[in-house]
Amino acid sequence: MAHQAHAYHMVDPSPWPLTGAVAALLMTSGLAIWMHFHTMTLMSLGLLLLLLTMYQWWRDIIREGTFQGHHTPPVQKGLRYGMILFITSEVFFFLGFFWAFYHSSLAPTPELGGCWPPTGITTLNPFEVPLLNTAVLLASGVTVTWAHHSIMEGQRKQAIQSLTLTILLGFYFTALQAMEYYEAPFTIADGVYGSTFFVATGFHGLHVIIGSTFLAVCLLRQAQYHFTSDHHFGFEAAAWYWHFVDVVWLFLYISIYWWGS
Amino acid sequence: MLRALSRLSTSGFRSVARTRTGYSAPLASRCYSHGKVETEEEFDSRWVTYFSKPDIDAWELRKGMNTLIGYDLVPEPKILDSALRACRRLNDLASAIRILEAVKDKAGPHKEIYPYVIQELKPTLTELGISTPEELGID
């Protein structure tokens, strides 16, 4: 039939789930090949396919929503549920690393000297760069909220400015953290302290980069008039993700940088 | 007594000369403005019970010790006895000796406390075969 008698979106057949699955297969087997035979070809191919899949899949979603009008209120509600469930799964992901940290730090083993920080570890001063990083992310939470209100009020220029500022703050955090990693007096190989520190903060940093990228895409879309004052779920999803990244940092800061020092 | 002696952290007005005999007023471990205050005896027996758990696991032992050492006091020999026996049940000699090192550290400038504690614990140390850091030459 020519018209649907419901408000939902029956998505057209798409090759991207398959290419995504193939990418996952190539990346994982490529990782194994890299480890045993020292060649990165398969893994790089998988990574390339993954990037292409993401680009084309999300481009299609933008086409379906912004240009073809498929994102009716019930569809948008489903997208909201989806983003919330995804972020919840990420919360559990980080919960695991916090579990590892607290397991190791509340009851430090004799090998560490029975104390935390372990014997021989010089921790970072929580009131130096880590505190600046906290301020940077909190400020970026303010600017992203400013951007949201600008979009809702139809203030195009302010939306672009505040969103740009948010992204710049995100980059500043990443740069500061990269410098901290380079200058740190301990490495990931330094016992359970190094492991918990770098795995937890490392995955957080990766999420900052992902979040910054998501916001950057929103900036490009805002510049190209994709968002309206009532309908801008892509931006809201990016903002939720960004707030999640900020909250994870606050927990990291309090637990690992401050209490753990 | 040990608690009163060790709490010289900042102010010097607490008398070092307080002895155990005749001193039975309850001391608060935390300075709350309200709520029930735990007596020294209650505090001690709570910790003796903690370490006496027959199936205490290694994590709980280490966690208990870290929490105990975090307090502003030197633990009573009876608590340490219970902890050392927990080490024995867990086959953890390293932690047992570490506990003795921690006690010496907690005493801080009060150099008479550590020898007193070792003296009180001597029967237990002999029974369980635990050497002191001094005997091992690692002090």
Side-chain angles (χ1 to χ4, degrees):
Chain A
M1 60 174 189
H3 297 102
Q4 63 186 47
H6 61 81
Y8 296 96
H9 184 196
M10 301 304 289
V11 183
D12 289 331
S14 163
W16 312 131
L18 180 61
T19 62
V22 171
L25 174 66
L26 293 183
M27 284 196 302
T28 47
S29 50
L31 192 64
I33 297 286
W34 181 43
M35 289 177 182
H36 290 275
F37 303 113
H38 310 285
T39 150
M40 287 209 277
T41 319
L42 202 61
M43 190 174 65
S44 312
L45 199 56
L47 200 58
L48 178 66
L49 191 52
L50 175 71
L51 291 167
L52 285 171
T53 302
M54 292 194 294
Y55 176 75
Q56 291 171 110
W57 194 336
W58 284 323
R59 176 207 61 194
D60 284 358
I61 294 174
I62 291 171
R63 285 172 176 176
E64 292 158 5
T66 305
F67 300 124
Q68 296 174 346
H70 286 289
H71 290 179
T72 60
V75 170
Q76 204 192 117
K77 191 161 170 221
L79 292 170
R80 284 176 191 277
Y81 276 130
M83 193 63 196
I84 288 168
L85 288 170
F86 172 63
I87 291 176
T88 306
S89 77
E90 293 251 76
V91 168
F92 281 103
F93 180 70
F94 276 97
L95 231 45
F97 296 122
F98 278 100
W99 181 353
F101 170 73
Y102 277 110
H103 176 101
S104 310
S105 58
L106 285 170
T109 61
E111 292 86 350
L112 308 172
C115 53
W116 194 275
T119 311
I121 293 283
T122 15
T123 59
L124 301 172
N125 186 339
F127 301 114
E128 291 179 0
V129 175
L131 185 60
L132 174 59
N133 272 342
T134 305
V136 167
L137 282 186
L138 286 174
S140 72
V142 170
T143 54
V144 81
T145 307
W146 173 17
H148 190 195
H149 283 265
S150 303
I151 292 174
M152 290 192 288
E153 290 157 27
Q155 306 261 27
R156 176 183 166 78
K157 198 164 79 124
Q158 276 203 41
I160 289 172
Q161 282 173 347
S162 46
L163 191 43
T164 306
L165 189 48
T166 308
I167 295 163
L168 287 175
L169 287 167
F171 284 164
Y172 187 32
F173 175 94
T174 304
L176 285 167
Q177 196 64 325
M179 189 213 71
E180 281 283 273
Y181 269 30
Y182 185 72
E183 298 283 338
F186 52 86
T187 73
I188 196 172
D190 284 322
V192 75
Y193 184 87
S195 300
T196 49
F197 181 91
F198 284 107
V199 169
T201 62
F203 271 117
H204 172 261
L206 178 64
H207 284 70
V208 170
I209 293 168
I210 292 169
S212 302
T213 310
F214 196 169
L215 288 167
V217 166
C218 288
L219 179 59
L220 289 171
R221 295 185 66 200
Q222 163 67 8
Q224 292 174 64
Y225 300 92
H226 287 202
F227 299 136
T228 73
S229 51
D230 292 316
H231 190 156
H232 43 263
F233 176 66
F235 173 82
E236 287 182 68
W240 289 350
Y241 196 79
W242 192 250
H243 287 305
F244 154 72
V245 158
D246 187 10
V247 169
V248 170
W249 171 259
L250 293 174
F251 278 99
L252 281 174
Y253 180 72
I254 302 286
S255 307
I256 297 183
Y257 285 91
W258 196 350
W259 177 85
S261 70
Chain B
M1 163 194 141
L2 292 169
R3 210 163 308 164
L5 272 175
S6 69
R7 204 159 322 145
L8 262 199
S9 16
T10 44
S11 58
F13 74 90
R14 283 189 195 268
S15 167
V16 184
R18 241 187 267 169
T19 59
R20 176 139 246 179
T21 20
Y23 182 77
S24 57
L27 265 179
S29 306
R30 298 283 167 91
C31 296
Y32 293 139
S33 60
H34 62 280
K36 186 173 173 293
V37 160
E38 189 179 48
T39 65
E40 281 194 29
E41 291 73 26
E42 284 166 344
F43 176 88
D44 292 346
S45 62
R46 192 160 55 81
W47 278 102
V48 168
T49 308
Y50 179 91
F51 288 113
S52 304
K53 192 167 94 130
D55 55 348
I56 193 173
D57 71 34
W59 192 93
E60 289 167 335
L61 168 70
R62 297 192 306 262
K63 166 74 170 121
M65 278 314 304
N66 268 273
T67 307
L68 186 62
I69 295 298
Y71 295 140
D72 183 19
L73 51 87
V74 180
E76 286 286 328
K78 61 165 118 61
I79 300 176
L80 299 169
D81 174 86
S82 184
L84 292 172
R85 289 179 189 284
C87 290
R88 172 65 269 189
R89 292 199 296 287
L90 290 163
N91 297 317
D92 191 352
L93 179 61
S95 293
I97 299 170
R98 194 56 166 162
I99 288 171
L100 302 179
E101 288 180 313
V103 168
K104 188 170 180 193
D105 185 69
K106 284 305 289 185
H110 306 283
K111 298 211 183 304
E112 68 285 2
I113 296 181
Y114 178 67
Y116 165 76
V117 169
I118 293 295
Q119 177 198 308
E120 292 294 303
L121 288 175
K122 215 37 184 170
T124 306
L125 295 176
T126 317
E127 179 197 332
L128 300 178
I130 300 168
S131 311
T132 65
E134 293 70 33
E135 287 163 3
L136 293 171
I138 59 171
D139 58 323

